[in-house]
Amino acid sequence: MLVKLNTTHPAYQHLVETLERDTRDASEADLRERLTAARDGLRLLLMAWARYEDEASGMKEDRLKDVRQEWGRIARDFLRSGE
């Protein structure tokens, strides 16, 4: 699977960059900072999606609900395959 990310997007540092840093030699303060950035990134992602759904109307709203449910099924399958 190929995942292409927009590294110039302002949200990149909150959503992805925190996952790429090597933590083997990180201090407790660095790890706390990384955890905070990851939390903020997740919050940003969920809030952006919620707003996107909230502002949708008509058929688009139904399609977004389908996408959300399918995304949930795929996430569940990822979790099950890791068991």
Side-chain angles (χ1 to χ4, degrees):
M1 174 184 345
L2 176 65
V3 177
K4 188 173 181 177
L5 302 171
N6 179 358
T7 59
T8 63
H9 192 284
Y12 178 83
Q13 70 182 32
H14 296 288
L15 297 172
V16 181
E17 190 176 82
T18 58
L19 301 175
E20 295 179 351
R21 292 187 220 156
D22 184 3
T23 61
R24 285 178 282 194
D25 297 322
S27 69
E28 183 177 334
D30 290 338
L31 293 174
R32 286 183 186 279
E33 181 181 319
R34 181 178 170 170
L35 181 59
T36 299
R39 181 202 62 207
D40 292 347
L42 179 58
R43 184 180 293 150
L44 170 68
L45 182 66
L46 295 173
M47 289 174 60
W49 183 264
R51 181 174 175 183
Y52 184 57
E53 281 195 38
D54 189 51
E55 293 178 1
S57 61
M59 290 294 291
K60 186 176 183 181
E61 186 177 4
D62 292 337
R63 288 193 310 265
L64 287 174
K65 181 179 177 182
D66 293 343
V67 167
R68 180 175 18 90
Q69 290 174 346
E70 183 62 21
W71 188 16
R73 281 191 287 274
I74 290 170
R76 182 188 61 221
D77 292 346
F78 273 120
L79 292 170
R80 285 183 178 161
S81 68
E83 292 179 321

